[in-house]
Amino acid sequence: MQSLSMNKTIGSSRFAKASSRSASATHVARARKALWYPGDDAPEYLDGSIPGDYGFDPFSLGKDKKNLERFRESEVIHGRWAMLGSLGCLAVELTGNGNWLEAPKWAIEGADPSYLGQSFPSGLPLILGIQFVAMAGSEAFRQRETDPMKRIYPGGSFDP
């Protein structure tokens, strides 16, 4: 591109010949993609089209295209749940109502659980049950979508 723009702006025949010679003699080599294990070849079904694809599939679990799509969806969803969990830990710390290291002590000591300084008169089984119902409900709602891309990126305020 630079040689074309230089030819137009300078207009010198001597410069135009030199730039056309160098452009025709230039060969651009494509860089090899980075692999998780240098020197080994990536499986043919891992073609680099998925972000973070470094050819790592030692058990050939992604050979089936449906499995590969499901793994991609699961990775995105697990990352989102982890970010929400991190937000919950930070909220407690930033409001000064405890820290995440001391948070599970209530379950070990047999005391009542508390969150953001509020005590809940319930035990561990009820807390686990509430968490299970909330996560199962949200996953069931998400699974009603038939389009796999809309299951990952539902749009609206969740559109990246």
Side-chain angles (χ1 to χ4, degrees), residues 104-114 119-124 127:
K105 280 188 177 179
W106 64 268
I108 296 169
E109 296 170 353
D112 290 337
S114 65
S119 181
F120 298 104
S122 59
L124 185 62
I127 297 294

Side-chain angles (χ1 to χ4, degrees), residues 8-97:
K8 288 181 180 178
T9 56
I10 295 176
S12 167
S13 62
R14 182 187 61 143
F15 191 83
K17 288 178 186 175
S19 64
S20 65
R21 242 183 297 136
S22 63
S24 64
T26 304
H27 176 71
V28 178
R30 186 174 213 187
R32 281 186 84 185
K33 71 177 187 172
L35 297 175
W36 75 278
Y37 187 69
D40 197 11
D41 292 331
E44 59 203 32
Y45 53 88
L46 295 178
D47 58 359
S49 61
I50 298 175
D53 177 9
Y54 294 104
F56 181 75
D57 192 10
F59 300 117
S60 300
L61 298 174
K63 242 182 191 175
D64 183 18
K65 190 163 177 68
K66 286 284 209 192
N67 280 349
L68 200 56
E69 289 174 6
R70 178 67 181 146
F71 295 152
R72 178 182 180 201
E73 178 183 341
S74 297
E75 188 70 24
V76 171
I77 299 304
H78 291 146
R80 288 181 182 164
W81 282 117
M83 287 186 276
L84 282 172
S86 299
L87 181 66
C89 291
L90 287 173
V92 172
E93 293 231 11
L94 293 175
T95 57
N97 292 311

Side-chain angles (χ1 to χ4, degrees), residues 81-157:
W81 282 117
M83 287 186 276
L84 282 172
S86 299
L87 181 66
C89 291
L90 287 173
V92 172
E93 293 231 11
L94 293 175
T95 57
N97 292 311
N99 63 35
W100 67 275
L101 286 174
E102 295 176 1
K105 280 188 177 179
W106 64 268
I108 296 169
E109 296 170 353
D112 290 337
S114 65
Y115 187 73
L116 292 175
Q118 301 294 321
S119 181
F120 298 104
S122 59
L124 185 62
L126 181 62
I127 297 294
L128 292 176
I130 290 170
Q131 181 178 0
F132 177 78
V133 169
M135 291 186 77
S138 63
E139 283 296 304
F141 181 72
R142 189 179 63 80
Q143 288 296 326
R144 286 193 290 180
E145 180 62 54
T146 57
D147 182 17
M149 288 309 286
K150 281 192 176 182
R151 270 199 310 260
I152 299 173
Y153 306 109
S157 60

